[in-house]
Every structure is written in C-alpha cells, then in structure tokens.
Amino acid sequence: MGLGGGIGHTMGIASINPVTGATLQTFEPLSPAGLEDKLEQAWQAFHNYRHTSLAQRATWLNQAAGLLEADKQVWAQLITLEMGKTLASAVAEVEKSAVVCRYYATHGPEFLAPAAGPADLLPDGRVALTHTRYDPLGPVLAVMPWNFPFWQVFRFAAPVLMVGNVGLLKHASNVPQCALGIAEILQKAGFPEGVFQTLLIEGARVPDLLADPRIVAATLTGSEPAGISLATAAGRHLKKVVLELGGSDPFIVLESADLEAAIATAVTARLISNGQSCIAAKRFIVAEAIADAFEAGFLARFQRLRLGDPCDPATEVGPLATASIRAELHEQVQTVIRQGAACRCGGELPPGPGYFYPPTLITQIPPGTIADSDEFFGPVALMFRVASLDEAIAKANASPFGLGASAWTRDPAEQARLVQDLEAGAVFINGMTRSDPRFPFGGIKRSGYGRELGRPGIYEFVNIKSTWVNPSP
Ligand code: NAP
C-alpha cells in the first residue's frame, strides 16, 4: 500500500475524491503469491466454516449488523469520499446493509432447514425417508461495482455466509477502502479468519481466477462487458454465475396517475446514487394527455436541484464517481442531441474540478436513437410521449434491458396489464423501483440472470441435495 498525490488519474487501485479529482490513496494490487495465499486461506477456512451451525452464523451476521449501525457515520463518510454520493444516502446505504444481515440471520435458518420429502415405499414394505438439504459449495467470488459499495457487497455476503460458503470480494478499483473496511467489519463480527476476504486486484485478472478449482462459483454486478467476460470464463470452467448487469428502467405515467406524486417520485427515482443506479428510472414514458404537465413539473424540479459537495447536507446531487463515467455520459448526451433530441436543461459540463454533471432532461427523442439502446448512467432523464397503454408497454419493452419498471395509474385494469406485460425482473405500480432484502432482485434480457435477495437469493450458491435413506435395510 502506498500513498499517491496526483490529480485525476484513474488507473490502478486508488481512492480518488470525485469532488476534487485528487488521488487520496493508491494501493498495490495483490502479487500472484499474495493472491495464492488468499485463495488457499479461503479454501482451508471453508472446511471448518461449513460445519459451523446456522445459529452461530446468524449470531455473527447480527453482530455485523450491529457494527454497521454503530459506525454508520464513519462508513458513510468513506463511501462518500470514494464515490461521491450524498452523505445522507450513504448513511441510508449502511443502514440497509445492516438490514440485509439481520434479514438472513433471521430467515436463513428457516430457508435452509432440510425439507422432508415424500416417504418412498419400498417393495418389501419398508419406507425410505427423503429430504432436500441445502449444503454449501465453497468459496464464491463476488465482483462488485462502486455505486453501492456497501449494499452490493452485503447483499451478496449475508446469504452466502449464512449458507456456509466463504466469500472472496473483488471490489471495483475505485473503492478499495470500502472493500477493506467490509472485510474488517465481518472479521470483527466474529467470522473466522479467511471466511471473507478482499482481493485487491484489477478487473482484468478476474477471468483467470475462474480457472482456479478453489473458486466454485461467482457473481458479478456491473456492466455488460464485465458480465460477458466473467460468464465466458465461468462457462469455460463450468462454474455457476449470477449476473446483475445494467438497466434502462421505464417509468410510465398514464392519464389517471396522481401526477404530483408521480413527478416527485420520478425525480427521486432518476437521481438515486447521483443517477448511477442500475434500477434508477431512466426512460420516462408519459401519456400524451398529461405529458406537457409532467414535463413542466419535472423540469421545474430538475432545474432547482442543488449540485455540490456531497458532504454538505443542502446538496441534492453530488459528483459522478469517476472521470470516465462522466466523459461517457456526456458523450451519450451529445450523441442523442445530434440524433435529433431536445435538451431542456443541463447537458453542459460544468467548469471547475471534480466529476460533476448537471441534472439533464432530454425530450422529443426521435425513434432509433441511443436512448432506445443505451443505459445512461448519471442524472440524465429521457422522456418519451405515448398515445396509449399498448404503446407505453411496447416502448417500455423495446429495450435490450429488463431490470425494473415503475408505472403510475389509478386504473385497476391498467395496473393488471402492466404487472403482467412489462418485461422486467420487478414491476412497481404507483411506487419507485427499489431493492429490498425481502424481495428477489434481478433482471431478464441483457440485465443478467439469477436472483439476489429474498428467499430465492439464498439458493443461488447452494448444493440442493436430494437425500434418500433406507434406514434399516
Ligand atoms: P464495471 O466496469 O463492469 O465494473 C464492475 C466490476 O467489474 C468492477 O469490480 C470491475 O473491476 C469489474 N470488471 C471490470 N472489467 C472486468 C472484466 N473484464 N472481467 C471481470 N470483471 C471486470 O461496471 P461499472 O461501469 O463501473 O458499473 C456500472 C454498471 O453496473 C452499470 O451498467 C450498472 O447498471 C451496473 N449495475 C448493476 C446492478 C444490478 O444489480 N443489476 C447494480 C449496480 C450496478 P475494476 O473496477 O477493477 O475494473
């Protein structure tokens, strides 16, 4: 580990303050020998850890929740420092990370209890007993993004550790202090040495890791290219993966909607994590009859938003996380405008240091632009007008992604149609799409496959073992 002092370089593993662009600390990536040592530790740890009781694991998870809550201000400041979300939203993220630990500590034992199957009557009149068991698999690799540096990791770690697997975290290269902090919390909570480790390595080294027999499965939350790279390597080595990739979630507002609530929620939904959330609302699909009113209300709120230092409580939108995220977003905005769309506010790079980008509203988007195909990862809202419910659903589904969807209408028939026909892993009616430990979370189409959270989330990395026992042959 060494100290850096440069400005704005984004190479390597480093904490760079997105408010100023200053490099705060750089980290030496793990050497091949250091990596080998961690893999071996994980493998050895698994053989003991798999025999710990569910009650013991639940105790450790509850202790992790307590530690997160006790030090939430400290961890929130670190999140804000490394990736720029507002301090209030970082505190909420740490609190939610505690909730997911408690959720699996509480419900894990029930989800993982062996389930009795039908008794199997044998020809000699005796009965074989059948069960479904949920056994751990081994070390699971998690490749994680920076946009929710704590939440994304804890929603992986809580179910995986509850099952009896061990975790290896390859976090995004711009949040190394969060990555190290999380491993520290879990160790302090009582999880034995080697049960959860952070690997400080670059993304390019991940595919080779899948070849290692000590890694039994992997999960990745991130971009499509990273997902393809991981899934390709995993396929080559026949290992299971869960992928949580991008999204371009629709936010549909129909004529009977509570317009004020829809507008206020639309603005909030677009700006989660300074606009850098996979399930942020990105495409606003609005019925023609109310579109002028929606646009005016949305624009008024978007223009009033206060952009600034994420540690200032008055700030509503902080900077984007990295220079390259901002450059890519700005390029997308310029492209869609070149393709014929109108920019109602924002769209200009602000002067000064840091990676700030203004809330931007794009309207009058002609068919066939990148707004139909790309994910805009930042505070940019894309608005479309539609003439009917059918057209709204068709527009929402005309996307390569299928992560979340939110729709606003008071009409029960429309609500039923939307729930049934929207192609997404989650549909919220008259509410904002969000992740919640209680509900399964994941996508279809190019948003990935597999599920996290809820009951299904705990079964992704287990050996669902059928047992058949003739007790007295
Ligand atoms: P990214 O570049 O894909 O980074 C995500 C993680 O993948 C990082 O740890 C990164 O490591 C690693 N990585 C990069 N290239 C890799 C490769 N070739 N093989 C294996 N791993 C690799 O993602 P991002 O652009 O920073 O994050 C934003 C994306 O994540 C968006 O598309 C967003 O929608 C998606 N996301 C999805 C969800 C969800 O639940 N569906 C949640 C949050 C974010 P390095 O940092 O070292 O490159």
Side-chain angles (χ1 to χ4, degrees), residues 10 34 49 115 128-129 140 168 181 373 383 421:
T10 52
Y49 184 63
L129 304 175
V140 182
L168 288 163
S373 55
M383 185 180 160
D421 289 344

Side-chain angles (χ1 to χ4, degrees), residues 144 146-147 152 155 170 173 203 221-223 226 229 245-246 278 375:
M144 289 288 143
W146 44 264
N147 59 347
Q152 292 288 351
R155 81 184 194 186
K170 182 271 171 278
S173 289
T221 298
S223 61
S229 153
L245 307 178
C278 52
E375 176 183 33

Side-chain angles (χ1 to χ4, degrees), residues 246-252 283 285 390 392-407 416-429 433 442-448 451:
S248 188
D249 284 10
F251 187 103
I252 298 171
R283 294 177 299 138
I285 299 168
D390 284 341
I393 293 173
K395 185 74 197 168
N397 291 343
S399 163
F401 300 107
L403 195 53
S406 168
R417 265 291 306 283
L418 290 155
V419 164
Q420 177 183 285
D421 289 344
L422 286 173
E423 295 169 358
V427 176
F428 284 65
I429 302 294
T433 307
I444 58 170
K445 304 202 278 189
R446 294 187 77 84
S447 293
R451 290 293 177 268

Side-chain angles (χ1 to χ4, degrees), residues 12-13 142-148 152 155 170-175 201-207 220-230 243-247 276-279 282 322 325 328 375 377 401 403 441-443 447 452:
I13 300 174
V143 183
M144 289 288 143
W146 44 264
N147 59 347
F148 291 87
Q152 292 288 351
R155 81 184 194 186
K170 182 271 171 278
H171 216 325
S173 289
N174 56 325
V175 288
I201 56 171
E202 309 86 340
R205 286 168 74 184
V206 169
L220 179 140
T221 298
S223 61
E224 279 184 70
I228 290 167
S229 153
L230 183 88
L243 297 179
E244 305 283 7
L245 307 178
Q276 305 155 110
S277 166
C278 52
I279 50 164
K282 294 178 184 128
T322 66
I325 286 279
E328 195 180 316
E375 176 183 33
F377 215 56
F401 300 107
L403 195 53
F441 181 96
S447 293
E452 295 185 281

